[in-house]
Amino acid sequence: MPIRKKDRTTAISKSIETGKRHPLHYIDSRRYVQHNVNLGDGLGPLLRFFDELPEGSSKVNPVRAFEDGDISFAHIEYHLHGYGHVAGFEVHRWEDDRIVEHWDNLEPVPEEAGSGGRTVFDGPTEPTDLHRTASNKRLAERFVREVLVARAVEALPEFLAGGEFAQHSHRWGDGVEELKRLLTTDDGEDATVHHTLHRVLGEGDFVLTMSEGTVGGVHSALFDLFRLSEDKVVEHWEVVEPIPPRDQWQNDNGKF
């Protein structure tokens, strides 16, 4: 049985820990486009990053992984040499069974769980309701555009079931009232504002949205993972990373 694209994505991340580089053969070295603006374009800078990690210095835990057409994406827990405990999303685009494009978002993991008592990783991991992928993607896209970007607080009942909203972000609390507070707050170090939705990916009841906005006034990439059930958004994970000034980018491809 062929190895699934999402399993290849997790294998590439896992090779940071194992030191085995054969999963990197999934990457097309001739066409590889890098959107991590802290790395140079192409395969060479990625190989140097792997090679500069001391043997046995890092641990990698793939928490959940998904596929959407020619895209595979994964939610990863890292303990990286020089970076510490990090949450990340890794996103790969495939052509001719090779990876030709990569996006990611990385954020240090807080020492304490959020106000809801959940960590940034726990919760369901396997996609279900695969027949509802398309409708769940449409609903999550509308939720981001209408609620998180346009801040239409009055639309919340359409997307959330009563007061239920399981939150894994250390910035947000559980429930609808906390989300309302977030949507009506524009200042403070954790004030989160979505400006532009760039991409929507999904498999079954999980949908990842890749957006641009600000956190505490800092230009940031906001990757939000939603779980949906019976046409409602019921759970949320996120990884937020500041986008450095343009003159500090190591490639010209942009974050998105």
Side-chain angles (χ1 to χ4, degrees), residues 54-234:
E55 184 177 354
S57 66
S58 300
K59 297 293 183 183
V60 178
N61 174 34
V63 179
R64 40 184 68 85
F66 312 98
E67 284 186 33
D68 184 355
D70 63 350
I71 302 283
S72 55
F73 56 105
H75 191 194
I76 308 285
E77 179 181 15
Y78 292 108
H79 291 268
L80 289 176
H81 175 77
Y83 296 89
H85 193 193
V86 175
F89 283 109
E90 304 288 345
V91 181
H92 292 136
R93 185 174 68 83
W94 298 74
E95 286 184 7
D96 304 321
D97 210 34
R98 303 290 295 279
I99 294 169
V100 296
E101 199 162 8
H102 169 256
W103 300 260
D104 65 5
N105 224 35
L106 303 169
E107 180 179 17
V109 173
E111 294 183 1
E112 298 181 356
S115 61
R118 300 177 183 84
T119 74
V120 298
F121 297 112
D122 59 13
T125 59
E126 294 296 326
T128 62
D129 296 335
L130 300 183
H131 63 289
R132 303 184 73 161
T133 296
S135 62
N136 283 337
K137 286 175 63 177
R138 288 193 295 269
L139 184 66
E141 179 174 358
R142 288 186 54 223
F143 177 72
V144 173
R145 293 192 186 280
E146 296 177 25
V147 175
L148 299 186
V149 175
R151 300 197 159 204
V153 176
E154 68 279 2
L156 281 173
E158 180 180 353
F159 297 100
L160 305 182
E164 297 179 9
F165 186 55
Q167 183 57 256
H168 294 268
S169 169
H170 64 95
R171 298 177 183 85
W172 308 13
D174 272 352
V176 175
E177 292 305 314
E178 177 66 9
L179 183 53
K180 287 181 180 178
R181 184 191 66 79
L182 172 83
L183 294 171
T184 54
T185 301
D186 290 322
D187 54 11
E189 63 179 17
D190 288 334
T192 302
V193 181
H194 291 67
H195 292 310
T196 305
L197 174 61
H198 288 277
R199 188 177 290 267
V200 180
L201 304 168
E203 183 180 10
D205 56 339
F206 284 91
V207 178
L208 177 70
T209 62
M210 299 162 55
S211 303
E212 189 172 358
T214 59
V215 175
V218 177
H219 185 206
S220 300
L222 303 101
F223 283 32
D224 295 284
L225 181 66
F226 301 101
R227 186 172 67 84
L228 296 93
S229 177
E230 298 181 355
D231 296 322
K232 299 292 183 181
V233 179
V234 297

